[in-house]
Amino acid sequence: PPPPISTALGGGAVRPGPSRGDQRCPPTLRRRAVLTTPLVLASAVAPQPASASMVRDGMAAFAANRVGESIALYDKMIEADPASKPYLWQRGLSLYYADRFADGAEQFAADVAVNPNDTEEQIWHLLCLARQQGGSLEAARKSALK
């Protein structure tokens, strides 16, 4: 088997599998590790302000499968600084994995409003809408961001 990829978050290691059928690690956990590991490693390179530390804490909680905790951390940031909300795309991922699709769609829409060229957040917005509408991408496209 391939060597484990350290999540650098104290939550153990993830072994990536060659296919979705690999049962060594749940696919959701592998996706979370792929989404967060590069960000955690990059953020460790330079000192960051306190708010960046809270973002890293939220990402760490998410990667450790403590999704509710990550949402609480991001919500605390928004409470302290409401202007930070559009920039917390990580909160949108946490909301999606917590099955809070309406809140996730709202979060990603706020992100796209300040960064309209960010196609990844537009896709996550569409996925949140689709999950709200019974999994139908066709229905979601009708109310997707333009």
Side-chain angles (χ1 to χ4, degrees):
I5 300 172
S6 172
T7 60
L9 302 172
V14 175
R15 291 186 183 275
S19 69
R20 288 182 60 80
D22 183 6
Q23 296 303 311
R24 289 178 288 180
C25 178
T28 300
L29 185 54
R30 283 196 302 262
R31 283 192 297 270
R32 288 183 186 156
V34 168
L35 289 170
T36 59
T37 300
L39 299 170
V40 171
L41 295 175
S43 66
V45 175
Q48 303 282 325
S51 62
S53 174
M54 289 182 71
V55 170
R56 283 194 309 275
D57 291 346
M59 290 170 30
F62 176 82
N65 204 26
R66 297 188 317 265
V67 176
E69 180 183 332
S70 70
I71 294 169
L73 287 164
Y74 297 132
D75 288 349
K76 186 177 176 181
M77 285 184 63
I78 293 168
E79 186 178 312
D81 180 12
S84 68
K85 183 177 180 177
Y87 304 99
L88 292 174
W89 58 267
Q90 301 91 335
R91 178 177 180 265
L93 293 177
S94 294
L95 292 166
Y96 180 88
Y97 282 99
D99 294 337
R100 290 177 52 188
F101 305 116
D103 294 331
E106 178 187 329
Q107 178 65 50
F108 290 120
D111 181 286
V112 171
V114 297
N115 186 6
N117 295 324
D118 194 336
T119 55
E120 185 177 356
E121 271 64 8
Q122 291 176 358
I123 292 167
W124 279 106
H125 179 262
L126 181 66
L127 292 172
C128 286
L129 293 176
R131 293 295 301 267
Q132 283 180 273
Q133 299 173 13
S136 170
L137 280 175
E138 187 65 34
R141 284 186 182 107
K142 293 176 184 175
S143 56
L145 299 171
K146 305 287 186 237

